[in-house]
Amino acid sequence: MYRKHLNLNYQNCGINSRLTALRTNFSRQYVAVAMPAIKYVAFIAVFLLLSACSRESGELNQTVGADVVIATSSANIYLSGVGGQYAVSATLVDDQGVAFVDQPAFVWESASAGVVSVDANGVVTANGLGQSVVTVRANGLSSQIQVLVSDQAVVLNGTVRYEDREYGRNGFVDQPDYFKAVRFAKVTVVDNNGAEVGGIGSVYTDENGNFTLSGLLDSQHFVRVSAATDNSLGLDLAVKDRQQALYSVTKQVDITQAANFMMDVPLSSEASGAFNILDVFTSSAEFTLLYTDLSLVSLNTFWEVNNTDGTYFCNDYDAVYCDSGKGVYVYGVANGDTDEYDDDVLYHEFAHYFTQAVSRDDSYGGCHVLSSTDLDLRLAWSEGWGDFFPSAMKTWLAADPSRSGLISSSPGYSLAGYVDTYQSRAQISVEIDSLSPSVYKSAANELAIAKILYLLNQRYGMEPIIDVFTGYFPGVATPVNLESFWDGWLAIHSPTVSDKAQLTGFYNERSIYYQEDRFEPDNNMNPARKIALNTAETHYLYSETVETDIDFVAFDTVAGNQYSLSTANLTSGADTYIRVFSPDGTELNLGGVTVENDDANETAYYGYDSACGSSRVKNNTTALSSSLSFIAPITGTYYAELRTTTDPDPYLSAGRYGTFSFKVIQN
Ligand SMILES: [Ca+2]
Ligand SMILES: [Ca+2]
Ligand SMILES: [Ca+2]
Ligand SMILES: [Ca+2]
């Protein structure tokens, strides 16, 4: 029955075994109260525990100097006016706060019945203004509670902070006491049923996490801070669990702390993760309000510890993947991949929201792997923007000393770093500014796109990039991908010759060639350059003068010999087409069939991706290549017309531009 740990100090809050005992004691009282959401109940318990622990000796009201003491649920009671009531509980505990299984009958008495009375259950009732002391006795022990009855409004100055996790290249590098302000979050006063207390209204924390409330507060009131932001600032953000319950933390009003009412949400509280998500999206929303015409950033996030569905953005309700509604979904796999402190992952998802809110995104989503160089161009673009966005956010935050403290990567770690942790270690860790050009290349690779955007941001800032999002993408007839971004940049910014050379250089570093190849001009059959047989040459599908580039190539034939024409090494989403023209300049037709080919290997366009465990579009080097053979009817110079597909309904996942090699073989 007795569990003694005599060497431990009752006042030492750092000892977990004692905390556990207290948690039991305190949560019991409040779990009995019906609360609207499970989260809410849990946080009350955790908060009471912590607020108790943060105080000095005597906060857990007890008789000092004995192994056995009476602990009460309050040391101070404040009642706002006559008639106010508050229930206090008493528990017989050992010197470590562990409750005895058998509890005695407690006797309660008030020193001044004209101020308060107290019944046999510890319910204190205010009878008049003034102060009194309530004493509770049992087993020859006693404990006292200070009571104040007042009809004066209380001004409560509070500060709300959450504990964040710092990360570096290899994962979390937590430092102690890494608290940050809970910014622009909703603060309300609720009673012990969770109902908002009238006449006080809600306020919001400021950028430093501070708030001021005033009203007839008393001990049965709680300050509740919710993971929801101030709409009047254009911030309509909320972090909820998958059942739509808003995260919040609650702390009982303590009038003795009214001047400095601290609400710290530690890592041990599930809510700290929710407040980190809120913080990352608050920064992202401020960025959005600054750089676009959007006046209200409305975004729900759905996260909980047991969310194993993944991290993604849903633009709409979807019964299978997005059953909580439109918004960002965040992984919470215990002992696995959790993303609530992975700021880069969160920024990435916000980038998808951003595109949807201020621009257009044509990606169908689906699996994507950072090193894949054959993605659907729309997917590569959408994810590349998402991969780039964290660096944009951190660069923006770092540029202003008043915001730089919001970055949670460790000092000295590149702002271009992108980390996704699994447990505490980085499972993905890349630095956008130093990506291998031989691996991360092509318009069908997301990190190649991220790097181009990174270089553009370094050189020109975010405004011209976002101008393409807001001023070009929404109305463009072609799919939104790196090609249309290139087109939009030229259309909107009309770069100078030197700026265009700079731009081209950024793309070329990633083996992307939106520029005329060395054979131009060759858009017409006459004159056409003659190609040597059996020699491959590299072409770019790009023209400075016409929308659809055509490359004509001439080659000599001898009647009766067979010739094979083919494209290969298709990159950046190229989708080639070949047609042959006779020496007289007419389309070659043999046996009623035009000698042409679009896709020689089209069946390979959708393929299994072992890294994804599913099939997807593959803009690989061969799938949409072209190949044909013919026997020359006459000796002479024939012409090959090379261009992007003529299919009136081309794959929107492929590109209009791109690179390929071409050769003619005499068999
Ligand atoms: Ca993670
Ligand atoms: Ca060309
Ligand atoms: Ca051409
Ligand atoms: Ca083709």
Side-chain angles (χ1 to χ4, degrees):
M1 163 174 162
Y2 272 74
R3 282 171 289 155
K4 296 231 176 184
H5 309 275
L6 293 173
N7 293 328
L8 300 179
N9 182 347
Y10 184 54
Q11 297 302 332
N12 185 339
C13 276
I15 297 164
N16 287 335
S17 60
R18 202 192 127 257
L19 294 179
T20 306
L22 281 175
R23 184 196 298 269
T24 307
N25 191 23
F26 279 81
S27 60
R28 193 164 53 225
Q29 179 181 352
Y30 292 99
V31 168
V33 177
M35 291 291 171
I38 291 168
K39 297 282 175 249
Y40 180 54
V41 174
F43 298 144
I44 284 183
V46 170
F47 240 96
L48 286 173
L49 160 69
L50 290 153
S51 59
C53 272
S54 66
R55 297 180 215 160
E56 296 304 310
S57 168
E59 285 295 320
L60 278 167
N61 213 18
Q62 60 167 314
T63 303
V64 180
D67 283 353
V68 182
V69 297
I70 297 173
T72 59
S73 54
S74 302
N76 293 284
I77 297 174
Y78 184 79
L79 295 171
S80 55
V82 173
Q85 286 194 317
Y86 187 72
V88 188
S89 67
T91 312
L92 201 64
V93 298
D94 70 11
D95 60 355
Q96 287 152 68
V98 177
F100 293 97
V101 173
D102 294 333
Q103 291 289 323
F106 294 99
V107 176
W108 301 84
E109 72 179 30
S110 170
S112 174
V115 178
V116 292
S117 51
V118 57
D119 71 10
N121 297 315
V123 176
V124 179
T125 303
N127 301 323
L129 302 181
Q131 296 183 51
S132 183
V133 176
V134 166
T135 303
V136 55
R137 299 177 203 282
N139 294 11
L141 303 168
S142 67
S143 191
Q144 293 189 327
I145 299 153
Q146 307 298 318
V147 185
L148 173 65
V149 180
S150 168
D151 58 1
Q152 300 298 303
V154 173
V155 176
L156 191 132
N157 290 304
T159 302
V160 194
R161 306 188 308 171
Y162 76 96
E163 194 173 7
D164 195 4
R165 301 195 70 179
E166 192 179 74
Y167 67 94
R169 181 176 289 105
N170 299 317
F172 290 120
V173 284
D174 293 333
Q175 49 173 297
D177 208 31
Y178 191 49
F179 280 89
K180 289 181 175 170
V182 171
R183 295 181 291 149
F184 314 121
K186 188 175 186 181
V187 182
T188 47
V189 176
V190 296
D191 63 22
N192 56 13
N193 290 313
E196 276 193 37
V197 175
I200 296 174
S202 56
V203 298
Y204 291 87
T205 58
D206 65 14
E207 61 184 359
N208 299 312
N210 297 325
F211 67 90
T212 299
L213 277 173
S214 83
L216 291 173
L217 299 174
D218 70 30
S219 292
Q220 49 194 338
H221 293 156
F222 299 81
V223 175
R224 179 165 73 193
V225 181
S226 305
T229 49
D230 188 351
N231 284 19
S232 73
L233 300 177
L235 306 170
D236 178 21
L237 307 171
V239 183
K240 305 175 176 181
D241 68 13
R242 293 294 299 274
Q243 289 72 47
Q244 302 269 5
L246 188 65
Y247 283 90
S248 61
V249 291
T250 309
K251 184 178 177 182
Q252 188 174 18
V253 168
D254 180 348
I255 214 72
T256 64
Q257 298 182 354
N260 185 23
F261 190 77
M262 289 298 297
M263 296 180 71
D264 276 354
V265 189
L267 287 180
S268 56
S269 165
E270 193 178 345
S272 63
F275 282 114
N276 185 63
I277 294 169
L278 191 74
D279 195 54
V280 167
F281 288 168
T282 295
S283 297
S284 307
E286 289 183 302
F287 174 93
T288 305
L289 294 171
L290 185 69
Y291 278 102
T292 71
D293 291 336
L294 204 65
S295 57
L296 185 68
V297 175
S298 292
L299 178 63
N300 279 325
T301 303
F302 305 103
W303 165 74
E304 63 189 32
V305 163
N306 293 319
N307 181 33
T308 57
D309 286 351
T311 295
Y312 45 85
F313 171 70
C314 285
N315 196 25
D316 290 298
Y317 171 83
D318 172 319
V320 177
Y321 298 107
C322 317
D323 61 341
S324 301
K326 173 179 176 172
V328 171
Y329 289 68
V330 179
Y331 248 140
V333 185
N335 296 315
D337 190 359
T338 62
D339 288 342
E340 70 273 22
Y341 296 104
D342 288 345
D343 293 6
D344 297 328
V345 176
L346 297 170
Y347 287 132
H348 177 111
E349 298 308 328
F350 188 91
H352 291 313
Y353 162 80
F354 177 97
T355 318
Q356 174 274 138
V358 309
S359 180
R360 187 180 116 196
D361 189 338
D362 292 345
S363 173
Y364 279 79
C367 178
H368 53 101
V369 176
L370 294 177
S371 57
S372 295
T373 54
D374 58 356
L375 296 178
D376 178 325
L377 291 199
R378 299 165 301 180
L379 175 65
W381 167 256
S382 178
E383 300 306 331
W385 161 249
D387 297 341
F388 155 72
F389 194 72
S391 74
M393 279 303 307
K394 289 181 285 187
T395 301
W396 178 68
L397 292 171
D400 183 338
S402 72
R403 292 192 294 252
S404 58
L406 296 167
I407 300 172
S408 28
S409 57
S410 52
Y413 182 48
S414 169
L415 297 174
Y418 188 110
V419 172
D420 180 359
T421 64
Y422 183 96
Q423 296 175 341
S424 280
R425 304 289 298 170
Q427 63 175 342
I428 291 174
S429 183
V430 292
E431 278 147 64
I432 306 295
D433 54 345
S434 56
L435 295 166
S436 165
S438 61
V439 177
Y440 302 104
K441 59 183 182 180
S442 128
N445 174 259
E446 58 182 277
L447 284 181
I449 290 168
K451 177 63 187 294
I452 290 169
L453 291 168
Y454 178 82
L455 291 170
L456 290 172
N457 186 24
Q458 295 292 304
R459 175 69 180 79
Y460 301 104
M462 283 306 293
E463 212 162 310
I465 294 174
I466 291 173
D467 285 346
V468 179
F469 276 76
T470 56
Y472 186 79
F473 282 158
V476 72
T478 54
V480 171
N481 57 26
L482 185 66
E483 293 179 349
S484 47
F485 178 74
W486 168 272
D487 294 344
W489 186 284
L490 297 192
I492 287 179
H493 303 307
S494 303
T496 62
V497 170
S498 68
D499 278 341
K500 190 159 180 200
Q502 172 100 81
L503 204 64
T504 301
F506 292 165
Y507 283 67
N508 288 175
E509 182 193 295
R510 297 293 134 188
S511 303
I512 300 165
Y513 304 99
Y514 297 161
Q515 66 208 74
E516 294 193 338
D517 58 43
R518 63 197 172 100
F519 309 123
E520 301 289 340
D522 58 1
N523 291 5
N524 296 300
M525 205 181 309
N526 286 305
R529 179 182 49 86
K530 209 171 273 184
I531 186 176
L533 295 179
N534 305 315
T535 305
E537 58 182 29
T538 298
H539 287 245
Y540 308 149
L541 291 169
Y542 192 84
S543 169
E544 298 283 357
T545 52
V546 293
E547 195 172 307
T548 302
D549 180 33
I550 297 176
D551 294 354
F552 273 102
V553 176
F555 57 100
D556 290 334
T557 68
V558 174
N561 286 340
Q562 188 185 50
Y563 297 88
S564 294
L565 286 62
S566 60
T567 61
N569 303 317
L570 278 61
T571 58
S572 288
D575 179 356
T576 59
Y577 165 85
I578 304 175
R579 179 166 53 161
V580 179
F581 285 79
S582 299
D584 66 1
T586 61
E587 186 183 272
L588 180 61
N589 186 299
L590 295 175
V593 177
T594 300
V595 180
E596 63 178 348
N597 181 252
D598 186 344
D599 301 326
N601 193 23
E602 187 180 20
T603 52
Y605 195 52
Y606 290 90
Y608 187 75
D609 182 333
S610 57
C612 292
S614 59
S615 291
R616 63 167 175 83
V617 161
K618 291 199 163 179
N619 276 310
N620 61 29
T621 55
T622 58
L624 300 180
S625 64
S626 314
S627 176
L628 60 85
S629 295
F630 72 101
I631 295 171
I634 57 169
T635 296
T637 300
Y638 285 71
Y639 303 93
E641 178 198 29
L642 312 173
R643 50 166 292 175
T644 191
T645 183
T646 57
D647 189 340
D649 186 20
Y651 291 118
L652 297 177
S653 44
R656 294 168 287 130
Y657 308 151
T659 301
F660 67 94
S661 68
F662 173 69
K663 67 179 173 184
V664 180
I665 293 174
Q666 181 183 315
N667 295 315

